[in-house]
Amino acid sequence: MVDDERCSSMKLSTAPGTAKNAIAVVSVGGGGDASSRTPWHGWCFVKTPGTAACSKTRLAALCMLVVFVVGFVMLRPQILHGIAWRGSCVDRVSVADYVDAPNRMHFRGTSRRLPGCIIVGVRKCGTRAMLNFLKVHPKVQAASGEVHFFDNDDKYNLGLDWYRKHMPFSFPGQITLEKSPAYFITDGVPERIYSMNNQTKIIVLVRDPTTRAISDYTQIMANKFARNKSVKLFETLAINEYGEVNTSYKAIRIGLYYRHLERRSSPENRYASSMETTLSETLSRS
């Protein structure tokens, strides 16, 4: 072995520009039988100033790398298969379900239910505000967006199971709420809702037809401006060439509430009759 006194008595000289945090390896020779020497026989490792601090930093970085690799290997199955949080337990789901993971997070005991109440319209009459007000109540769970299930034949043909998957999770006793203002002006919607559940509650909001038409026009105009499209004046659209109200203009046509109710006169369409009575009373007081 190398004599410690020989190592300590040596003077280490470093070339200009040598890093301070380095280890100098110096040959100190050595005698004895070559066969009895170790691979490091005759060498002395001398630490230059600052090497200890550098070694601790590198050791800490290495430990962090090891922890990261071990953690990744352990969590890799969960990352690949997805995690669904259900109350106090974690269940592994398929890769296909992982895509829908944000929508699958729910409390134990909850499930998706068909709506017990639907806001069917009318557009630009405060339907979004009404939805937000009702969502504040702890007994109400509302769909996040307009599903347009009953007014779209392609979606309706997908069946009620597809519709249910677009509803929020709710506890037993809570009311599931959905809002699609196009339901009010689309033929066949009342019959479809009735066939789903004849006890479904319907909410209809109405507004002064003129004010509603102007609000409708303003929203459409803003959307067209955003896409750099030309926009006609409201007077040009709302008044025809004979100086009469242009009932073919959609913004005006939506506000003709009585016409939409007249088309809902089938015997099974109970909610239409109820809406007609309520609207008649409301409009007569205004």
Side-chain angles (χ1 to χ4, degrees):
M1 298 296 292
V2 180
D3 188 352
D4 291 340
E5 294 183 358
R6 292 172 60 192
C7 286
S8 60
S9 63
M10 292 181 56
K11 294 183 179 180
L12 176 66
S13 60
T14 58
T18 302
K20 293 183 178 180
N21 296 329
I23 299 179
V25 183
V26 182
S27 174
V28 295
D33 186 4
S35 61
S36 64
R37 298 178 184 178
T38 65
W40 298 107
H41 192 88
W43 293 87
C44 178
F45 292 82
V46 182
K47 294 184 178 180
T48 59
T51 303
C54 180
S55 300
K56 292 181 179 179
T57 303
R58 292 178 178 176
L59 180 61
L62 180 60
C63 291
M64 293 177 62
L65 179 60
V66 172
V67 171
F68 173 81
V69 173
V70 173
F72 177 81
V73 172
M74 295 179 64
L75 294 177
R76 187 169 179 267
Q78 285 78 7
I79 295 175
L80 292 178
H81 295 287
I83 297 176
W85 175 258
R86 302 184 179 182
S88 60
C89 65
V90 177
D91 297 334
R92 182 177 298 179
V93 296
S94 65
V95 175
D97 291 333
Y98 180 64
V99 177
D100 192 42
N103 295 325
R104 295 180 58 86
M105 298 174 65
H106 60 92
F107 290 103
R108 182 189 299 274
T110 62
S111 62
R112 298 185 191 271
R113 295 174 172 83
L114 293 172
C117 181
I118 302 177
I119 301 176
V120 300
V122 176
R123 171 182 164 89
K124 305 310 296 179
C125 289
T127 55
R128 171 59 60 180
M130 175 61 73
L131 180 75
N132 290 335
F133 291 150
L134 293 176
K135 285 198 304 183
V136 176
H137 198 285
K139 289 291 186 179
V140 175
Q141 291 291 341
S144 58
E146 298 177 2
V147 183
H148 290 283
F149 175 69
F150 296 104
D151 64 315
N152 186 304
D153 292 338
D154 293 335
K155 292 182 179 180
Y156 186 73
N157 291 333
L158 295 175
L160 292 177
D161 288 338
W162 180 91
Y163 186 41
R164 184 183 290 106
K165 290 179 180 179
H166 287 74
M167 294 299 108
F169 287 96
S170 62
F171 286 101
Q174 288 186 313
I175 298 174
T176 300
L177 177 66
E178 194 243 319
K179 175 190 78 77
S180 291
Y183 291 164
F184 183 74
I185 63 174
T186 305
D187 292 336
V189 168
E191 290 77 14
R192 288 178 173 181
I193 295 178
Y194 186 87
S195 65
M196 176 190 71
N197 184 359
N198 58 11
Q199 300 299 318
T200 304
K201 306 300 180 182
I202 303 298
I203 296 178
V204 181
L205 304 175
V206 294
R207 185 182 183 184
D208 177 87
T210 303
T211 307
R212 198 219 67 82
I214 294 174
S215 178
D216 201 341
Y217 166 81
T218 302
Q219 182 179 22
I220 295 174
M221 180 184 65
N223 292 336
K224 287 187 176 181
F225 271 138
R227 298 193 298 268
N228 295 322
K229 292 186 176 181
S230 60
V231 180
K232 295 182 179 180
L233 294 176
F234 177 76
E235 294 83 350
T236 305
L237 298 171
I239 306 299
N240 60 25
E241 57 183 352
Y242 303 106
E244 299 173 346
V245 176
N246 182 14
T247 56
S248 63
Y249 175 43
K250 186 175 181 179
I252 299 294
R253 188 172 68 252
I254 292 176
L256 302 177
Y257 309 128
Y258 72 95
R259 288 191 178 180
H260 302 297
L261 292 174
E262 283 179 347
R263 297 200 306 270
R264 291 153 170 74
S265 57
S266 60
E268 65 178 3
N269 192 358
R270 299 175 183 177
Y271 91 70
S273 301
S274 177
M275 283 196 300
E276 185 174 7
T277 302
T278 304
L279 288 175
S280 299
E281 294 176 354
T282 303
L283 295 175
S284 64
R285 291 195 299 267
S286 60

PDB file of all heavy atoms in Angstrom, residues 135-150:
ATOM      1  N   LYS A 135     -78.076  25.866 -10.610  1.00  0.00           N
ATOM      2  CA  LYS A 135     -76.930  25.021 -10.243  1.00  0.00           C
ATOM      3  C   LYS A 135     -76.415  25.325  -8.848  1.00  0.00           C
ATOM      4  O   LYS A 135     -75.723  24.500  -8.249  1.00  0.00           O
ATOM      5  CB  LYS A 135     -75.791  25.201 -11.253  1.00  0.00           C
ATOM      6  CG  LYS A 135     -76.006  24.523 -12.569  1.00  0.00           C
ATOM      7  CD  LYS A 135     -74.709  24.352 -13.343  1.00  0.00           C
ATOM      8  CE  LYS A 135     -73.990  25.661 -13.550  1.00  0.00           C
ATOM      9  NZ  LYS A 135     -72.766  25.480 -14.370  1.00  0.00           N
ATOM     10  N   VAL A 136     -76.725  26.505  -8.340  1.00  0.00           N
ATOM     11  CA  VAL A 136     -76.270  26.857  -6.995  1.00  0.00           C
ATOM     12  C   VAL A 136     -76.922  25.961  -5.952  1.00  0.00           C
ATOM     13  O   VAL A 136     -76.338  25.679  -4.903  1.00  0.00           O
ATOM     14  CB  VAL A 136     -76.569  28.352  -6.712  1.00  0.00           C
ATOM     15  CG1 VAL A 136     -76.205  28.710  -5.281  1.00  0.00           C
ATOM     16  CG2 VAL A 136     -75.800  29.235  -7.686  1.00  0.00           C
ATOM     17  N   HIS A 137     -78.130  25.486  -6.258  1.00  0.00           N
ATOM     18  CA  HIS A 137     -78.845  24.653  -5.292  1.00  0.00           C
ATOM     19  C   HIS A 137     -78.161  23.298  -5.171  1.00  0.00           C
ATOM     20  O   HIS A 137     -77.810  22.671  -6.177  1.00  0.00           O
ATOM     21  CB  HIS A 137     -80.299  24.457  -5.746  1.00  0.00           C
ATOM     22  CG  HIS A 137     -81.208  23.993  -4.653  1.00  0.00           C
ATOM     23  ND1 HIS A 137     -81.207  22.692  -4.180  1.00  0.00           N
ATOM     24  CD2 HIS A 137     -82.141  24.654  -3.915  1.00  0.00           C
ATOM     25  CE1 HIS A 137     -82.094  22.563  -3.222  1.00  0.00           C
ATOM     26  NE2 HIS A 137     -82.690  23.746  -3.044  1.00  0.00           N
ATOM     27  N   PRO A 138     -77.955  22.805  -3.954  1.00  0.00           N
ATOM     28  CA  PRO A 138     -77.239  21.530  -3.770  1.00  0.00           C
ATOM     29  C   PRO A 138     -77.990  20.322  -4.311  1.00  0.00           C
ATOM     30  O   PRO A 138     -77.392  19.262  -4.489  1.00  0.00           O
ATOM     31  CB  PRO A 138     -77.076  21.438  -2.243  1.00  0.00           C
ATOM     32  CG  PRO A 138     -78.161  22.310  -1.696  1.00  0.00           C
ATOM     33  CD  PRO A 138     -78.314  23.437  -2.665  1.00  0.00           C
ATOM     34  N   LYS A 139     -79.265  20.454  -4.587  1.00  0.00           N
ATOM     35  CA  LYS A 139     -80.042  19.338  -5.105  1.00  0.00           C
ATOM     36  C   LYS A 139     -80.077  19.303  -6.635  1.00  0.00           C
ATOM     37  O   LYS A 139     -80.787  18.484  -7.218  1.00  0.00           O
ATOM     38  CB  LYS A 139     -81.483  19.409  -4.573  1.00  0.00           C
ATOM     39  CG  LYS A 139     -81.628  19.101  -3.098  1.00  0.00           C
ATOM     40  CD  LYS A 139     -81.348  17.623  -2.819  1.00  0.00           C
ATOM     41  CE  LYS A 139     -81.638  17.278  -1.363  1.00  0.00           C
ATOM     42  NZ  LYS A 139     -81.402  15.842  -1.086  1.00  0.00           N
ATOM     43  N   VAL A 140     -79.325  20.175  -7.277  1.00  0.00           N
ATOM     44  CA  VAL A 140     -79.351  20.264  -8.737  1.00  0.00           C
ATOM     45  C   VAL A 140     -77.969  19.988  -9.304  1.00  0.00           C
ATOM     46  O   VAL A 140     -76.972  20.551  -8.837  1.00  0.00           O
ATOM     47  CB  VAL A 140     -79.845  21.650  -9.207  1.00  0.00           C
ATOM     48  CG1 VAL A 140     -79.749  21.772 -10.731  1.00  0.00           C
ATOM     49  CG2 VAL A 140     -81.286  21.885  -8.755  1.00  0.00           C
ATOM     50  N   GLN A 141     -77.915  19.125 -10.300  1.00  0.00           N
ATOM     51  CA  GLN A 141     -76.693  18.866 -11.066  1.00  0.00           C
ATOM     52  C   GLN A 141     -77.020  19.136 -12.531  1.00  0.00           C
ATOM     53  O   GLN A 141     -77.943  18.538 -13.078  1.00  0.00           O
ATOM     54  CB  GLN A 141     -76.216  17.427 -10.887  1.00  0.00           C
ATOM     55  CG  GLN A 141     -75.686  17.114  -9.499  1.00  0.00           C
ATOM     56  CD  GLN A 141     -74.374  17.818  -9.211  1.00  0.00           C
ATOM     57  OE1 GLN A 141     -73.684  18.248 -10.120  1.00  0.00           O
ATOM     58  NE2 GLN A 141     -74.033  17.924  -7.936  1.00  0.00           N
ATOM     59  N   ALA A 142     -76.279  20.031 -13.168  1.00  0.00           N
ATOM     60  CA  ALA A 142     -76.591  20.448 -14.534  1.00  0.00           C
ATOM     61  C   ALA A 142     -75.518  20.011 -15.517  1.00  0.00           C
ATOM     62  O   ALA A 142     -74.325  19.966 -15.189  1.00  0.00           O
ATOM     63  CB  ALA A 142     -76.761  21.965 -14.595  1.00  0.00           C
ATOM     64  N   ALA A 143     -75.955  19.690 -16.727  1.00  0.00           N
ATOM     65  CA  ALA A 143     -75.017  19.369 -17.805  1.00  0.00           C
ATOM     66  C   ALA A 143     -74.192  20.600 -18.132  1.00  0.00           C
ATOM     67  O   ALA A 143     -74.685  21.728 -18.073  1.00  0.00           O
ATOM     68  CB  ALA A 143     -75.777  18.889 -19.037  1.00  0.00           C
ATOM     69  N   SER A 144     -72.935  20.395 -18.486  1.00  0.00           N
ATOM     70  CA  SER A 144     -72.016  21.518 -18.690  1.00  0.00           C
ATOM     71  C   SER A 144     -72.305  22.295 -19.964  1.00  0.00           C
ATOM     72  O   SER A 144     -71.991  23.474 -20.061  1.00  0.00           O
ATOM     73  CB  SER A 144     -70.572  21.021 -18.715  1.00  0.00           C
ATOM     74  OG  SER A 144     -70.400  20.056 -19.747  1.00  0.00           O
ATOM     75  N   GLY A 145     -72.889  21.663 -20.964  1.00  0.00           N
ATOM     76  CA  GLY A 145     -73.134  22.342 -22.225  1.00  0.00           C
ATOM     77  C   GLY A 145     -74.476  21.958 -22.811  1.00  0.00           C
ATOM     78  O   GLY A 145     -75.220  21.153 -22.247  1.00  0.00           O
ATOM     79  N   GLU A 146     -74.805  22.564 -23.942  1.00  0.00           N
ATOM     80  CA  GLU A 146     -76.052  22.249 -24.630  1.00  0.00           C
ATOM     81  C   GLU A 146     -75.865  20.958 -25.423  1.00  0.00           C
ATOM     82  O   GLU A 146     -75.039  20.889 -26.338  1.00  0.00           O
ATOM     83  CB  GLU A 146     -76.449  23.407 -25.549  1.00  0.00           C
ATOM     84  CG  GLU A 146     -76.701  24.711 -24.798  1.00  0.00           C
ATOM     85  CD  GLU A 146     -77.021  25.870 -25.733  1.00  0.00           C
ATOM     86  OE1 GLU A 146     -77.089  25.645 -26.957  1.00  0.00           O
ATOM     87  OE2 GLU A 146     -77.182  27.000 -25.233  1.00  0.00           O
ATOM     88  N   VAL A 147     -76.617  19.942 -25.080  1.00  0.00           N
ATOM     89  CA  VAL A 147     -76.426  18.624 -25.677  1.00  0.00           C
ATOM     90  C   VAL A 147     -77.100  18.527 -27.046  1.00  0.00           C
ATOM     91  O   VAL A 147     -76.602  17.846 -27.939  1.00  0.00           O
ATOM     92  CB  VAL A 147     -76.960  17.523 -24.737  1.00  0.00           C
ATOM     93  CG1 VAL A 147     -76.700  16.142 -25.317  1.00  0.00           C
ATOM     94  CG2 VAL A 147     -76.314  17.650 -23.366  1.00  0.00           C
ATOM     95  N   HIS A 148     -78.234  19.198 -27.227  1.00  0.00           N
ATOM     96  CA  HIS A 148     -78.984  19.156 -28.504  1.00  0.00           C
ATOM     97  C   HIS A 148     -79.298  17.723 -28.904  1.00  0.00           C
ATOM     98  O   HIS A 148     -79.080  17.313 -30.046  1.00  0.00           O
ATOM     99  CB  HIS A 148     -78.190  19.861 -29.617  1.00  0.00           C
ATOM    100  CG  HIS A 148     -78.106  21.346 -29.445  1.00  0.00           C
ATOM    101  ND1 HIS A 148     -79.146  22.192 -29.741  1.00  0.00           N
ATOM    102  CD2 HIS A 148     -77.102  22.133 -28.986  1.00  0.00           C
ATOM    103  CE1 HIS A 148     -78.793  23.441 -29.484  1.00  0.00           C
ATOM    104  NE2 HIS A 148     -77.561  23.431 -29.021  1.00  0.00           N
ATOM    105  N   PHE A 149     -79.821  16.977 -27.959  1.00  0.00           N
ATOM    106  CA  PHE A 149     -80.151  15.580 -28.224  1.00  0.00           C
ATOM    107  C   PHE A 149     -81.493  15.436 -28.943  1.00  0.00           C
ATOM    108  O   PHE A 149     -81.608  14.712 -29.936  1.00  0.00           O
ATOM    109  CB  PHE A 149     -80.180  14.798 -26.909  1.00  0.00           C
ATOM    110  CG  PHE A 149     -80.616  13.370 -27.039  1.00  0.00           C
ATOM    111  CD1 PHE A 149     -79.816  12.438 -27.678  1.00  0.00           C
ATOM    112  CD2 PHE A 149     -81.835  12.954 -26.522  1.00  0.00           C
ATOM    113  CE1 PHE A 149     -80.219  11.115 -27.805  1.00  0.00           C
ATOM    114  CE2 PHE A 149     -82.251  11.646 -26.644  1.00  0.00           C
ATOM    115  CZ  PHE A 149     -81.443  10.711 -27.283  1.00  0.00           C
ATOM    116  N   PHE A 150     -82.506  16.140 -28.477  1.00  0.00           N
ATOM    117  CA  PHE A 150     -83.851  15.953 -29.006  1.00  0.00           C
ATOM    118  C   PHE A 150     -84.103  16.717 -30.308  1.00  0.00           C
ATOM    119  O   PHE A 150     -85.061  16.402 -31.026  1.00  0.00           O
ATOM    120  CB  PHE A 150     -84.885  16.378 -27.964  1.00  0.00           C
ATOM    121  CG  PHE A 150     -84.876  15.538 -26.719  1.00  0.00           C
ATOM    122  CD1 PHE A 150     -84.309  16.004 -25.548  1.00  0.00           C
ATOM    123  CD2 PHE A 150     -85.399  14.254 -26.726  1.00  0.00           C
ATOM    124  CE1 PHE A 150     -84.298  15.229 -24.406  1.00  0.00           C
ATOM    125  CE2 PHE A 150     -85.386  13.468 -25.592  1.00  0.00           C
ATOM    126  CZ  PHE A 150     -84.829  13.948 -24.422  1.00  0.00           C
TER     127      PHE A 150
END
